[in-house]
Structures are given as C-alpha cells and as structure tokens.
Short mmCIF file of all heavy atoms in Angstrom, two decimals:
data_model
loop_
_atom_site.label_atom_id
_atom_site.label_comp_id
_atom_site.label_asym_id
_atom_site.label_seq_id
_atom_site.Cartn_x
_atom_site.Cartn_y
_atom_site.Cartn_z
N MET H 1 96.60 97.28 92.15
CA MET H 1 95.36 97.95 91.77
C MET H 1 95.69 99.27 91.07
O MET H 1 96.20 100.18 91.69
CB MET H 1 94.50 98.21 93.01
CG MET H 1 93.06 98.56 92.64
SD MET H 1 92.01 98.70 94.10
CE MET H 1 92.61 100.23 94.81
N GLN H 2 95.42 99.38 89.84
CA GLN H 2 95.76 100.57 89.06
C GLN H 2 94.50 101.24 88.58
O GLN H 2 93.91 100.84 87.59
CB GLN H 2 96.65 100.16 87.88
CG GLN H 2 97.23 101.33 87.11
CD GLN H 2 98.32 102.04 87.90
OE1 GLN H 2 99.14 101.41 88.54
NE2 GLN H 2 98.33 103.35 87.87
N GLN H 3 94.07 102.26 89.31
CA GLN H 3 92.87 102.97 88.86
C GLN H 3 93.27 104.29 88.24
O GLN H 3 94.10 105.00 88.80
CB GLN H 3 91.86 103.14 89.99
CG GLN H 3 92.13 104.23 91.00
CD GLN H 3 92.84 103.70 92.23
OE1 GLN H 3 93.90 103.11 92.15
NE2 GLN H 3 92.25 103.89 93.36
N PHE H 4 92.68 104.59 87.11
CA PHE H 4 92.99 105.86 86.45
C PHE H 4 91.99 106.90 86.89
O PHE H 4 90.78 106.72 86.70
CB PHE H 4 92.99 105.67 84.93
CG PHE H 4 93.37 106.90 84.18
CD1 PHE H 4 94.67 107.39 84.27
CD2 PHE H 4 92.45 107.57 83.39
CE1 PHE H 4 95.04 108.54 83.57
CE2 PHE H 4 92.82 108.72 82.70
CZ PHE H 4 94.10 109.21 82.79
N GLN H 5 92.46 107.94 87.49
CA GLN H 5 91.59 108.96 88.02
C GLN H 5 91.43 110.09 87.01
O GLN H 5 92.39 110.70 86.59
CB GLN H 5 92.17 109.50 89.33
CG GLN H 5 91.19 110.39 90.08
CD GLN H 5 91.80 110.90 91.37
OE1 GLN H 5 92.94 110.61 91.69
NE2 GLN H 5 91.02 111.66 92.12
N VAL H 6 90.20 110.36 86.61
CA VAL H 6 89.97 111.40 85.61
C VAL H 6 89.36 112.65 86.23
O VAL H 6 89.43 113.73 85.65
CB VAL H 6 89.06 110.90 84.47
CG1 VAL H 6 89.81 109.90 83.61
CG2 VAL H 6 87.79 110.29 85.02
N ALA H 7 88.76 112.51 87.42
CA ALA H 7 88.12 113.67 88.04
C ALA H 7 88.53 113.80 89.50
O ALA H 7 88.84 112.81 90.15
CB ALA H 7 86.60 113.54 87.94
N CYS H 8 88.53 115.02 89.98
CA CYS H 8 88.89 115.29 91.36
C CYS H 8 87.87 114.67 92.31
O CYS H 8 86.67 114.74 92.07
CB CYS H 8 88.95 116.80 91.56
SG CYS H 8 89.20 117.30 93.27
N ASP H 9 88.36 114.08 93.41
CA ASP H 9 87.47 113.47 94.39
C ASP H 9 86.67 114.52 95.16
O ASP H 9 85.58 114.25 95.63
CB ASP H 9 88.29 112.64 95.39
CG ASP H 9 88.77 111.34 94.79
OD1 ASP H 9 88.10 110.85 93.85
OD2 ASP H 9 89.79 110.83 95.24
N THR H 10 87.25 115.69 95.30
CA THR H 10 86.62 116.72 96.14
C THR H 10 85.64 117.58 95.36
O THR H 10 84.49 117.72 95.76
CB THR H 10 87.71 117.61 96.78
OG1 THR H 10 88.64 116.78 97.45
CG2 THR H 10 87.10 118.58 97.77
N CYS H 11 86.10 118.14 94.25
CA CYS H 11 85.24 119.09 93.54
C CYS H 11 84.73 118.54 92.21
O CYS H 11 83.86 119.15 91.59
CB CYS H 11 85.99 120.42 93.31
SG CYS H 11 87.31 120.32 92.11
N GLY H 12 85.25 117.43 91.76
CA GLY H 12 84.75 116.81 90.53
C GLY H 12 85.30 117.41 89.25
O GLY H 12 84.86 117.04 88.17
N ALA H 13 86.23 118.31 89.34
CA ALA H 13 86.83 118.92 88.16
C ALA H 13 87.65 117.88 87.40
O ALA H 13 88.21 116.96 87.99
CB ALA H 13 87.72 120.10 88.57
N GLN H 14 87.72 118.05 86.08
CA GLN H 14 88.49 117.12 85.27
C GLN H 14 89.97 117.34 85.52
O GLN H 14 90.44 118.47 85.65
CB GLN H 14 88.19 117.35 83.79
CG GLN H 14 88.48 116.10 82.96
CD GLN H 14 88.14 116.31 81.49
OE1 GLN H 14 87.31 117.13 81.15
NE2 GLN H 14 88.79 115.56 80.63
N LEU H 15 90.71 116.22 85.60
CA LEU H 15 92.13 116.30 85.91
C LEU H 15 92.97 116.09 84.66
O LEU H 15 92.59 115.35 83.76
CB LEU H 15 92.52 115.22 86.93
CG LEU H 15 91.93 115.38 88.34
CD1 LEU H 15 92.24 114.15 89.15
CD2 LEU H 15 92.47 116.62 89.03
N VAL H 16 94.11 116.75 84.63
CA VAL H 16 95.12 116.52 83.60
C VAL H 16 95.67 115.11 83.85
O VAL H 16 95.87 114.73 85.00
CB VAL H 16 96.25 117.57 83.72
CG1 VAL H 16 97.35 117.31 82.70
CG2 VAL H 16 95.69 118.97 83.58
N PRO H 17 95.90 114.31 82.78
CA PRO H 17 96.44 112.96 83.00
C PRO H 17 97.72 113.00 83.82
O PRO H 17 98.60 113.83 83.57
CB PRO H 17 96.71 112.46 81.58
CG PRO H 17 95.75 113.21 80.74
CD PRO H 17 95.60 114.57 81.37
N ASN H 18 97.80 112.11 84.82
CA ASN H 18 98.95 112.00 85.73
C ASN H 18 99.17 113.26 86.57
O ASN H 18 100.28 113.50 87.05
CB ASN H 18 100.24 111.67 84.96
CG ASN H 18 100.18 110.27 84.38
OD1 ASN H 18 99.56 109.38 84.96
ND2 ASN H 18 100.79 110.07 83.24
N ALA H 19 98.15 114.04 86.75
CA ALA H 19 98.28 115.23 87.59
C ALA H 19 98.45 114.83 89.05
O ALA H 19 97.92 113.81 89.48
CB ALA H 19 97.04 116.12 87.44
N ALA H 20 99.21 115.63 89.78
CA ALA H 20 99.39 115.37 91.20
C ALA H 20 98.38 116.15 92.04
O ALA H 20 98.05 115.75 93.14
CB ALA H 20 100.81 115.74 91.63
N TYR H 21 97.92 117.26 91.49
CA TYR H 21 96.96 118.10 92.21
C TYR H 21 95.82 118.50 91.30
O TYR H 21 95.99 118.58 90.08
CB TYR H 21 97.65 119.37 92.72
CG TYR H 21 98.69 119.13 93.78
CD1 TYR H 21 100.02 118.94 93.44
CD2 TYR H 21 98.32 119.06 95.11
CE1 TYR H 21 100.97 118.72 94.41
CE2 TYR H 21 99.26 118.83 96.10
CZ TYR H 21 100.59 118.66 95.75
OH TYR H 21 101.52 118.43 96.71
N CYS H 22 94.68 118.75 91.91
CA CYS H 22 93.54 119.30 91.17
C CYS H 22 93.83 120.76 90.86
O CYS H 22 94.26 121.50 91.73
CB CYS H 22 92.28 119.15 92.02
SG CYS H 22 90.88 120.05 91.36
N GLU H 23 93.59 121.15 89.61
CA GLU H 23 93.89 122.53 89.23
C GLU H 23 92.88 123.51 89.81
O GLU H 23 93.16 124.69 89.93
CB GLU H 23 93.90 122.65 87.70
CG GLU H 23 95.14 122.02 87.10
CD GLU H 23 95.24 122.27 85.61
OE1 GLU H 23 94.18 122.45 84.98
OE2 GLU H 23 96.36 122.28 85.08
N ARG H 24 91.70 123.02 90.14
CA ARG H 24 90.67 123.94 90.64
C ARG H 24 90.76 124.13 92.16
O ARG H 24 90.82 125.23 92.66
CB ARG H 24 89.29 123.41 90.27
CG ARG H 24 88.23 124.51 90.37
CD ARG H 24 86.85 123.97 90.52
NE ARG H 24 86.28 123.52 89.25
CZ ARG H 24 85.11 122.89 89.17
NH1 ARG H 24 84.43 122.61 90.26
NH2 ARG H 24 84.65 122.51 88.01
N CYS H 25 90.80 123.01 92.91
CA CYS H 25 90.73 123.15 94.38
C CYS H 25 92.04 122.79 95.06
O CYS H 25 92.20 123.01 96.26
CB CYS H 25 89.58 122.32 94.94
SG CYS H 25 89.86 120.55 94.86
N GLY H 26 92.99 122.22 94.33
CA GLY H 26 94.30 121.92 94.92
C GLY H 26 94.39 120.62 95.68
O GLY H 26 95.39 120.34 96.32
N THR H 27 93.34 119.82 95.62
CA THR H 27 93.36 118.53 96.32
C THR H 27 94.34 117.59 95.64
O THR H 27 94.42 117.53 94.41
CB THR H 27 91.95 117.90 96.31
OG1 THR H 27 91.06 118.79 96.95
CG2 THR H 27 91.96 116.57 97.06
N ARG H 28 95.07 116.85 96.42
CA ARG H 28 96.00 115.87 95.90
C ARG H 28 95.23 114.71 95.27
O ARG H 28 94.25 114.26 95.82
CB ARG H 28 96.84 115.34 97.06
CG ARG H 28 98.29 115.14 96.71
CD ARG H 28 99.03 114.73 97.94
NE ARG H 28 99.92 115.77 98.42
CZ ARG H 28 100.47 115.77 99.62
NH1 ARG H 28 100.21 114.82 100.45
NH2 ARG H 28 101.27 116.73 99.97
N THR H 29 95.69 114.25 94.13
CA THR H 29 95.02 113.12 93.48
C THR H 29 95.41 111.82 94.16
O THR H 29 96.37 111.78 94.93
CB THR H 29 95.42 113.04 91.99
OG1 THR H 29 96.83 112.84 91.92
CG2 THR H 29 95.03 114.28 91.24
N ARG H 30 94.64 110.76 93.86
CA ARG H 30 94.94 109.45 94.48
C ARG H 30 96.34 108.98 94.14
O ARG H 30 97.04 108.42 94.96
CB ARG H 30 93.93 108.41 93.97
CG ARG H 30 92.63 108.45 94.74
CD ARG H 30 91.65 107.49 94.11
NE ARG H 30 90.44 108.21 93.72
CZ ARG H 30 89.68 107.86 92.68
NH1 ARG H 30 90.01 106.84 91.92
NH2 ARG H 30 88.60 108.54 92.41
N ARG H 31 96.77 109.23 92.91
CA ARG H 31 98.10 108.80 92.48
C ARG H 31 99.17 109.52 93.31
O ARG H 31 100.13 108.90 93.77
CB ARG H 31 98.26 109.13 90.99
CG ARG H 31 99.60 108.74 90.42
CD ARG H 31 99.65 109.06 88.94
NE ARG H 31 101.02 108.94 88.46
CZ ARG H 31 101.90 109.94 88.50
NH1 ARG H 31 101.54 111.10 88.98
NH2 ARG H 31 103.12 109.76 88.05
N ALA H 32 99.00 110.81 93.51
CA ALA H 32 99.97 111.59 94.29
C ALA H 32 99.99 111.12 95.73
O ALA H 32 101.05 111.02 96.35
CB ALA H 32 99.62 113.07 94.21
N ARG H 33 98.81 110.83 96.29
CA ARG H 33 98.75 110.35 97.68
C ARG H 33 99.49 109.04 97.82
O ARG H 33 100.19 108.80 98.79
CB ARG H 33 97.29 110.18 98.12
CG ARG H 33 96.63 111.49 98.49
CD ARG H 33 95.44 111.25 99.40
NE ARG H 33 94.42 110.44 98.77
CZ ARG H 33 93.36 110.91 98.16
NH1 ARG H 33 93.16 112.21 98.07
NH2 ARG H 33 92.47 110.11 97.61
N ARG H 34 99.33 108.17 96.80
CA ARG H 34 100.01 106.88 96.83
C ARG H 34 101.53 107.08 96.79
O ARG H 34 102.28 106.42 97.48
CB ARG H 34 99.53 106.03 95.66
CG ARG H 34 99.78 104.55 95.86
CD ARG H 34 99.04 103.70 94.83
NE ARG H 34 99.38 104.08 93.48
CZ ARG H 34 98.47 104.35 92.53
NH1 ARG H 34 97.21 104.28 92.77
NH2 ARG H 34 98.85 104.68 91.32
N LEU H 35 101.96 108.00 95.92
CA LEU H 35 103.40 108.27 95.80
C LEU H 35 103.96 108.82 97.10
O LEU H 35 105.06 108.46 97.50
CB LEU H 35 103.64 109.27 94.66
CG LEU H 35 103.49 108.71 93.24
CD1 LEU H 35 103.60 109.82 92.23
CD2 LEU H 35 104.52 107.64 92.96
N VAL H 36 103.19 109.68 97.76
CA VAL H 36 103.64 110.25 99.03
C VAL H 36 103.77 109.15 100.08
O VAL H 36 104.75 109.08 100.81
CB VAL H 36 102.65 111.35 99.51
CG1 VAL H 36 102.90 111.71 100.96
CG2 VAL H 36 102.79 112.59 98.65
N ARG H 37 102.75 108.25 100.12
CA ARG H 37 102.83 107.14 101.08
C ARG H 37 104.05 106.27 100.81
O ARG H 37 104.73 105.84 101.74
CB ARG H 37 101.56 106.27 100.99
CG ARG H 37 100.42 106.78 101.85
CD ARG H 37 99.43 105.67 102.12
NE ARG H 37 98.88 105.11 100.89
CZ ARG H 37 97.80 105.57 100.27
NH1 ARG H 37 97.15 106.59 100.77
NH2 ARG H 37 97.36 105.03 99.16
N MET H 38 104.34 106.03 99.55
CA MET H 38 105.48 105.21 99.17
C MET H 38 106.78 105.90 99.58
O MET H 38 107.69 105.26 100.11
CB MET H 38 105.46 104.98 97.65
CG MET H 38 106.05 103.67 97.22
SD MET H 38 105.49 103.24 95.57
CE MET H 38 106.33 104.48 94.59
N ALA H 39 106.85 107.20 99.35
CA ALA H 39 108.06 107.96 99.71
C ALA H 39 108.29 107.93 101.21
O ALA H 39 109.42 107.78 101.67
CB ALA H 39 107.90 109.41 99.22
N ILE H 40 107.22 108.04 101.98
CA ILE H 40 107.34 107.99 103.44
C ILE H 40 107.84 106.62 103.87
O ILE H 40 108.70 106.50 104.74
CB ILE H 40 105.98 108.32 104.10
CG1 ILE H 40 105.65 109.80 103.92
CG2 ILE H 40 105.99 107.95 105.59
CD1 ILE H 40 104.24 110.18 104.30
N ARG H 41 107.32 105.58 103.23
CA ARG H 41 107.74 104.22 103.57
C ARG H 41 109.23 104.01 103.26
O ARG H 41 109.96 103.43 104.05
CB ARG H 41 106.91 103.20 102.78
CG ARG H 41 106.12 102.29 103.70
CD ARG H 41 105.17 101.42 102.91
NE ARG H 41 103.93 102.11 102.61
CZ ARG H 41 103.08 101.75 101.65
NH1 ARG H 41 103.33 100.73 100.89
NH2 ARG H 41 101.97 102.41 101.46
N VAL H 42 109.67 104.49 102.11
CA VAL H 42 111.08 104.35 101.72
C VAL H 42 111.97 105.12 102.69
O VAL H 42 113.01 104.63 103.13
CB VAL H 42 111.28 104.86 100.27
CG1 VAL H 42 112.75 105.02 99.96
CG2 VAL H 42 110.63 103.89 99.29
N GLU H 43 111.51 106.33 103.06
CA GLU H 43 112.27 107.15 103.99
C GLU H 43 112.40 106.44 105.34
O GLU H 43 113.47 106.41 105.94
CB GLU H 43 111.54 108.48 104.18
CG GLU H 43 112.47 109.66 104.24
CD GLU H 43 111.70 110.94 104.01
OE1 GLU H 43 111.06 111.40 104.96
OE2 GLU H 43 111.73 111.46 102.89
N LEU H 44 111.32 105.87 105.79
CA LEU H 44 111.30 105.15 107.06
C LEU H 44 112.24 103.96 107.01
O LEU H 44 112.97 103.69 107.97
CB LEU H 44 109.86 104.68 107.34
CG LEU H 44 109.49 104.51 108.82
CD1 LEU H 44 109.35 105.87 109.47
CD2 LEU H 44 108.21 103.73 108.94
N LEU H 45 112.24 103.26 105.89
CA LEU H 45 113.09 102.09 105.71
C LEU H 45 114.56 102.49 105.77
O LEU H 45 115.37 101.84 106.44
CB LEU H 45 112.77 101.43 104.37
CG LEU H 45 113.23 99.98 104.20
CD1 LEU H 45 112.31 99.07 105.01
CD2 LEU H 45 113.22 99.59 102.75
N ILE H 46 114.91 103.58 105.09
CA ILE H 46 116.29 104.07 105.09
C ILE H 46 116.69 104.48 106.50
O ILE H 46 117.79 104.17 106.97
CB ILE H 46 116.44 105.25 104.09
CG1 ILE H 46 116.34 104.72 102.66
CG2 ILE H 46 117.77 105.98 104.31
CD1 ILE H 46 116.21 105.80 101.61
N PHE H 47 115.77 105.16 107.20
CA PHE H 47 116.05 105.59 108.57
C PHE H 47 116.28 104.37 109.47
O PHE H 47 117.23 104.36 110.28
CB PHE H 47 114.87 106.42 109.09
CG PHE H 47 115.01 106.80 110.54
CD1 PHE H 47 115.94 107.76 110.92
CD2 PHE H 47 114.22 106.20 111.50
CE1 PHE H 47 116.08 108.11 112.25
CE2 PHE H 47 114.35 106.55 112.83
CZ PHE H 47 115.29 107.50 113.22
N LEU H 48 115.46 103.34 109.34
CA LEU H 48 115.61 102.14 110.16
C LEU H 48 116.92 101.42 109.86
O LEU H 48 117.58 100.92 110.76
CB LEU H 48 114.41 101.19 109.93
CG LEU H 48 113.11 101.63 110.58
CD1 LEU H 48 111.98 100.69 110.18
CD2 LEU H 48 113.22 101.70 112.10
N MET H 49 117.29 101.40 108.57
CA MET H 49 118.56 100.77 108.19
C MET H 49 119.73 101.53 108.79
O MET H 49 120.69 100.94 109.28
CB MET H 49 118.69 100.73 106.66
CG MET H 49 118.00 99.52 106.04
SD MET H 49 117.77 99.69 104.27
CE MET H 49 119.46 99.74 103.71
N PHE H 50 119.65 102.85 108.77
CA PHE H 50 120.69 103.69 109.36
C PHE H 50 120.77 103.45 110.86
O PHE H 50 121.87 103.31 111.42
CB PHE H 50 120.36 105.15 109.06
CG PHE H 50 121.31 106.12 109.72
CD1 PHE H 50 122.61 106.28 109.24
CD2 PHE H 50 120.91 106.87 110.81
CE1 PHE H 50 123.48 107.17 109.85
CE2 PHE H 50 121.78 107.76 111.43
CZ PHE H 50 123.06 107.91 110.94
N LEU H 51 119.60 103.36 111.50
CA LEU H 51 119.54 103.12 112.93
C LEU H 51 120.16 101.76 113.26
O LEU H 51 120.93 101.63 114.23
CB LEU H 51 118.08 103.15 113.38
CG LEU H 51 117.82 103.55 114.83
CD1 LEU H 51 118.12 105.02 115.03
CD2 LEU H 51 116.39 103.24 115.21
N ALA H 52 119.85 100.74 112.47
CA ALA H 52 120.40 99.40 112.69
C ALA H 52 121.91 99.42 112.55
O ALA H 52 122.63 98.76 113.31
CB ALA H 52 119.77 98.44 111.68
N LEU H 53 122.40 100.20 111.57
CA LEU H 53 123.84 100.31 111.36
C LEU H 53 124.51 100.96 112.57
O LEU H 53 125.55 100.48 113.04
CB LEU H 53 124.08 101.17 110.11
CG LEU H 53 125.37 100.90 109.34
CD1 LEU H 53 125.29 99.57 108.63
CD2 LEU H 53 125.61 102.02 108.35
N VAL H 54 123.92 102.02 113.08
CA VAL H 54 124.47 102.71 114.25
C VAL H 54 124.48 101.77 115.45
O VAL H 54 125.49 101.66 116.17
CB VAL H 54 123.64 103.98 114.55
CG1 VAL H 54 124.00 104.56 115.92
CG2 VAL H 54 123.86 105.03 113.46
N VAL H 55 123.37 101.08 115.68
CA VAL H 55 123.28 100.13 116.80
C VAL H 55 124.33 99.04 116.64
O VAL H 55 125.00 98.66 117.60
CB VAL H 55 121.85 99.54 116.88
CG1 VAL H 55 121.81 98.35 117.83
CG2 VAL H 55 120.86 100.61 117.34
N ALA H 56 124.51 98.54 115.43
CA ALA H 56 125.49 97.49 115.17
C ALA H 56 126.91 97.97 115.47
O ALA H 56 127.70 97.25 116.08
CB ALA H 56 125.38 97.03 113.72
N PHE H 57 127.21 99.20 115.06
CA PHE H 57 128.54 99.76 115.33
C PHE H 57 128.78 99.94 116.82
O PHE H 57 129.86 99.65 117.33
CB PHE H 57 128.73 101.09 114.59
CG PHE H 57 129.30 100.91 113.22
CD1 PHE H 57 128.54 101.16 112.09
CD2 PHE H 57 130.62 100.48 113.06
CE1 PHE H 57 129.07 100.98 110.82
CE2 PHE H 57 131.16 100.30 111.79
CZ PHE H 57 130.37 100.56 110.67
N ILE H 58 127.76 100.44 117.52
CA ILE H 58 127.88 100.61 118.97
C ILE H 58 128.10 99.26 119.63
O ILE H 58 128.95 99.11 120.53
CB ILE H 58 126.60 101.32 119.52
CG1 ILE H 58 126.58 102.77 119.06
CG2 ILE H 58 126.55 101.22 121.06
CD1 ILE H 58 125.27 103.48 119.34
N TRP H 59 127.37 98.26 119.18
CA TRP H 59 127.46 96.92 119.75
C TRP H 59 128.87 96.35 119.52
O TRP H 59 129.50 95.81 120.43
CB TRP H 59 126.40 96.02 119.12
CG TRP H 59 126.40 94.64 119.69
CD1 TRP H 59 125.96 94.26 120.93
CD2 TRP H 59 126.90 93.46 119.08
NE1 TRP H 59 126.15 92.93 121.10
CE2 TRP H 59 126.73 92.40 119.99
CE3 TRP H 59 127.49 93.20 117.82
CZ2 TRP H 59 127.11 91.09 119.69
CZ3 TRP H 59 127.87 91.90 117.52
CH2 TRP H 59 127.67 90.88 118.46
N ILE H 60 129.35 96.49 118.27
CA ILE H 60 130.69 95.99 117.94
C ILE H 60 131.74 96.70 118.78
O ILE H 60 132.65 96.08 119.35
CB ILE H 60 130.98 96.20 116.42
CG1 ILE H 60 130.16 95.20 115.60
CG2 ILE H 60 132.48 96.02 116.12
CD1 ILE H 60 130.10 95.54 114.12
N TYR H 61 131.60 98.01 118.93
CA TYR H 61 132.55 98.79 119.74
C TYR H 61 132.52 98.33 121.19
O TYR H 61 133.56 98.17 121.82
CB TYR H 61 132.16 100.27 119.63
CG TYR H 61 133.11 101.19 120.35
CD1 TYR H 61 134.36 101.47 119.81
CD2 TYR H 61 132.75 101.77 121.55
CE1 TYR H 61 135.24 102.30 120.47
CE2 TYR H 61 133.62 102.61 122.22
CZ TYR H 61 134.86 102.87 121.67
OH TYR H 61 135.73 103.71 122.33
N ALA H 62 131.33 98.09 121.74
CA ALA H 62 131.17 97.68 123.12
C ALA H 62 131.76 96.29 123.36
O ALA H 62 132.37 96.03 124.38
CB ALA H 62 129.70 97.70 123.51
N VAL H 63 131.58 95.43 122.37
CA VAL H 63 132.07 94.04 122.50
C VAL H 63 133.59 94.00 122.43
O VAL H 63 134.24 93.23 123.13
CB VAL H 63 131.44 93.16 121.39
CG1 VAL H 63 132.21 91.86 121.21
CG2 VAL H 63 129.98 92.86 121.74
N GLN H 64 134.19 94.85 121.60
CA GLN H 64 135.63 94.82 121.38
C GLN H 64 136.45 95.38 122.56
O GLN H 64 137.63 95.13 122.63
CB GLN H 64 135.97 95.62 120.11
CG GLN H 64 135.81 94.78 118.85
CD GLN H 64 136.16 95.55 117.61
OE1 GLN H 64 136.24 96.77 117.62
NE2 GLN H 64 136.37 94.86 116.51
N LYS H 65 135.81 96.14 123.42
CA LYS H 65 136.55 96.76 124.55
C LYS H 65 137.07 95.75 125.56
O LYS H 65 136.40 94.79 125.87
CB LYS H 65 135.64 97.78 125.23
CG LYS H 65 136.11 99.19 124.87
CD LYS H 65 135.73 100.17 125.96
CE LYS H 65 134.53 100.98 125.55
NZ LYS H 65 134.22 102.09 126.41
ZN1 ZN W 1 89.28 119.54 92.90
#
C-alpha cells in the first residue's frame, strides 16, 4: 500500500515531498512512522538472531563437555 502524503495528519500543513516531519508542528509523517516500524523490526530480528547464536554456542559447549 503506497499512499502519498501531501498534508500533515495533525495540523493539515502542506508537507515537503518525502518529508519525515511536519515543518509546522513536528509530527512524524506516515512514511517516517513506517520506516521507524521497519527499523524496529529489523533491529529485533538481528537481536533474535544474535540471541539464537549465543544459545547455540552455549548448547554446543554444554554438549561437548
Ligand atoms: Zn503538522
């Protein structure tokens, strides 16, 4: 779903194309919110992969003893 946002959701001010924030009230645009959600998801995925790696190493170490 690709919606092009031209006005701020909060104050209705016109937005610069691809703006991350409203210049008038500072509200994050829908595009920026989506990017933030995506970044959080990627971060979480990397953290889970790291956690799985640590658990795997601990398991291998425990098994080899
Ligand atoms: Zn605004």
Side-chain angles (χ1 to χ4, degrees):
M1 195 174 72
Q2 188 72 41
Q3 78 264 57
F4 183 67
Q5 190 180 1
V6 289
C8 173
D9 285 334
T10 306
C11 70
Q14 204 178 335
L15 293 172
V16 177
N18 292 328
Y21 293 92
C22 169
E23 286 187 333
R24 198 201 280 174
C25 70
T27 301
R28 220 175 250 165
T29 61
R30 277 175 237 149
R31 180 178 169 273
R33 281 202 299 264
R34 200 168 56 230
L35 286 174
V36 166
R37 274 200 302 271
M38 210 160 69
I40 289 170
R41 241 172 277 161
V42 167
E43 221 163 79
L44 207 72
L45 198 75
I46 290 169
F47 175 72
L48 286 175
M49 276 165 64
F50 175 74
L51 207 71
L53 207 72
V54 168
V55 168
F57 270 112
I58 290 170
W59 182 73
I60 287 165
Y61 183 75
V63 163
Q64 277 181 343
K65 253 207 258 190

